[in-house]
Structures are given as structure tokens and as C-alpha cells.
Amino acid sequence: MDPEHRRGVERLAEPYGGILSRSLLRGLGVDRDAVARQVAADRWALPGRMTVAMHRGPLADAARPWLAVWEVGHAVAVVDGVSSLVAAGLTGFTEHDVHVSVTRNSRCPRVDDVRIHRVRRRPDELVDGDSFPRTRPAVAAVRAAGWARSDRQAALVLAMTVQQRLVTGADLVAAAKVVRTRGRHPFIRQVVRDVADGAQSLGELDFAAMCRRHGIPEPDRQVVRRGPTGRIYLDVRWAFARLVVEIDGSGHRSGLALTDDNLRQNTVTLGSDRVLRFDLLALRLQESTVMAQVRAGLRGCV
């Protein structure tokens, strides 16, 4: 292979993070022997059986999903879970391994730094026209939650996906109804409802039942108070202790909701009630801590 041909091939690898599959190289007129000569000359490297790097340095982040798909099998492998969400723009959540899904009857090799998941693939779950094959964010988020190491990590990835506007709450609810995950599916569906529909979550969470489980007196619910600008609706209140608990759903993070919440809390506090605030995920993931704080707020009054 002459230098001009080699440089042209290397330029074509740039959109793939500096790597190409052996299949693509054959289509460019570069056979196995030509690859071996470039590797022997210390120009190229072999990060996998099916993949060739057009350099000798570490792989770029952009190359890792391509390598995962080519090494596992380009006919069956799809970037999925957290890896698909990162490709869609998710920030603040890191995962060393690349997650790919394959259909359940697929036979594929193990690949270093790649986690392979067998799934029942739905016909509408892939992103159309993207660079490498990957699942839509709503599908990827539900699967990422199912593959997470803990309930806390599962809830985090679901919340971040909506907070960063990669999906809407409605999309996530719809995906959770049809995308199956093992072991954690009831938890995922509940967290998805919490994240997507905070306005109706108090009844779903059944805060009073939670208090009963922890031996805490049952509070009043949806208490109405009058403030300087009209009625104020409090989620729960213990009148005898002058203690209020406000439970924040996803709607409390958007628009002017936070401003309204702060002004409402100030009004209640100035009226000599104490206010504890919890978000829905705290109730899901740290129930004991939440109840311990409520118990501390009631101490001396029960």
C-alpha cells in the first residue's frame, strides 16, 4: 500500500475515532496482509480481532462504541443503556465499560471492557440515521436502570435522563411499560412515575403508610393554610407539633416552581411551623433516613 493510499484510509477512519473494521478496510482495498505490514511498521495497531487502529496511541472515546459493535458483531450488537445515553448527550454519569445489547439467541464473543446484555429487541427501539447503532434514550434509560449496580444508581440515571431533557417523562413512562428488565422492574416503574408525575405522587408514595411502618403518628394530608397571596396547600402536617413535610416531585424543579416553593416555605416558617423538604427519590432510596428526620422533628411532642 503506497503512502497516499494509506493516508487516505487514515482520513476515512477519523469519523470512527481513528479505527476501522477489517470489513470496511477490505472494501477500501486493504487486505489482511496489508494490515499486517502497517502493524509491523508500527503505524497501525490491533485493539481487537475485528478492528484496526490507524495509530499506536490509546483509543479515543469516540472509538470505543464502534469497537464494541464491531468486536461483538456488527450484525447483532447495538450500543445500549448508559453508553447510548452518553452518546445522546448525558453528562455527569460515567461508566468504564461500553454496554451493548444483542438478541437473545445471538452467539458472540466476550470482549474486554464491553458488557453484553441479551434482550428481546423491539422493532422501534433504535435511533434512525445515527452514526453507530444505538437505542433510543427512553429505552436506553430503562435498560440502564435495570443493569445498574444498585437501586440508587438506577434511580439516578432515570432522574438525570429527564432532568437533562434527553427524554420526556411521558416517553419514559411509555418505555417502562414495554421494556422488560429482570429483578428491578417494579422499582423502575415506580421511580419512573415519581420522576415523570410529581404532582400526583403523594398518593402513590402513601406517606402515611410509611409513617405507620416506622411507628410515627399519621399526619394530616393536603392541609390548606392561608398566606398573603391566597391559599397554601401543604403536603403533610402534624398540627400538634407544628411540623410540615413538603415532598418535591419533578415539577418542583422546572420554571418558577422553585421560586414559588421557597416563598411558600418562608410563609409557613414565619407562621412558626417548621418545614422539612424531601424529594421523591429520597423517599424511595433513603426511607429510614427520612423517617429518622421526621421523628427528630416530632421529638418532645409525642
Side-chain angles (χ1 to χ4, degrees):
M1 182 168 51
D2 62 70
E4 184 177 353
H5 186 194
R6 174 173 57 80
R7 287 192 291 270
V9 170
E10 291 171 352
R11 283 194 296 271
L12 290 173
E14 291 175 2
Y16 302 94
I19 65 174
L20 287 173
S21 69
R22 289 186 179 272
S23 175
L24 288 175
L25 285 168
R26 285 194 297 271
L28 296 171
V30 183
D31 60 17
R32 183 176 294 274
D33 291 339
V35 169
R37 287 193 292 271
Q38 297 303 317
V39 172
D42 284 339
R43 297 190 185 98
W44 294 356
L46 300 177
R49 292 176 57 254
M50 308 304 297
T51 310
V52 180
M54 308 290 106
H55 57 82
R56 302 291 294 186
L59 291 183
D61 289 343
R64 298 184 70 235
W66 282 112
L67 182 140
V69 169
W70 288 333
E71 292 297 321
V72 173
H74 71 276
V76 297
V78 172
V79 175
D80 208 335
V82 170
S83 302
S84 180
L85 293 175
V86 170
L90 182 72
T91 60
F93 194 107
T94 58
E95 181 79 32
H96 173 72
D97 293 343
V98 177
H99 292 256
V100 300
S101 61
V102 299
T103 52
R104 293 189 174 181
N105 59 349
S106 301
R107 299 183 64 182
C108 46
R110 293 186 177 183
V111 181
D112 290 343
D113 300 327
V114 176
R115 291 182 62 186
I116 300 172
H117 308 272
R118 299 185 182 278
V119 302
R120 180 178 290 111
R121 182 150 295 143
R122 301 184 62 80
D124 60 345
E125 71 177 40
L126 301 185
V127 174
D128 293 328
D130 202 56
S131 53
F132 49 79
R134 65 180 177 89
T135 49
R136 292 186 294 107
V139 173
V142 174
R143 288 201 179 128
W147 302 335
R149 294 182 177 88
S150 65
D151 286 352
R152 184 180 182 85
Q153 188 182 71
L156 177 64
V157 71
L158 291 168
M160 291 177 70
T161 303
V162 174
Q163 290 165 1
Q164 296 182 23
R165 300 183 179 180
L166 301 182
V167 299
T168 66
D171 289 339
L172 206 55
V173 169
K177 290 179 179 178
V178 296
V179 177
R180 305 301 301 177
T181 56
R182 294 182 180 178
R184 194 179 281 142
H185 197 67
F187 175 82
I188 291 172
R189 292 189 68 170
Q190 182 62 71
V191 171
V192 164
R193 289 194 295 269
D194 292 345
V195 170
D197 193 11
Q200 299 178 24
S201 62
L202 182 60
E204 295 166 1
L205 290 165
D206 196 0
F207 188 79
M210 189 180 294
C211 290
R212 289 194 297 271
R213 284 199 298 273
H214 290 263
I216 292 173
E218 194 168 321
D220 302 315
R221 286 192 276 175
Q222 286 293 312
V223 178
V224 181
R225 296 274 294 277
R226 183 162 295 278
T229 59
R231 292 182 176 180
I232 296 175
Y233 294 87
L234 307 176
D235 288 339
V236 296
R237 181 175 185 259
W238 289 265
F240 64 87
R242 300 190 70 85
L243 179 68
V244 172
V245 167
E246 290 287 82
I247 303 167
D248 294 341
S250 59
H252 292 253
R253 293 186 293 267
S254 61
L256 296 176
L258 182 59
T259 297
D260 294 339
D261 286 347
N262 289 340
L263 293 174
R264 180 176 66 171
Q265 178 169 332
N266 292 344
T267 297
V268 175
T269 301
L270 291 171
S272 299
D273 276 9
R274 292 168 298 158
V275 180
L276 299 178
R277 300 198 78 91
F278 304 107
D279 62 77
L280 290 172
L281 294 185
L283 269 65
R284 287 285 174 232
L285 299 172
Q286 300 189 50
E287 178 179 323
S288 296
T289 301
V290 169
M291 290 293 102
Q293 291 188 357
V294 171
R295 186 177 289 107
L298 295 173
R299 191 168 293 138
C301 300
V302 294

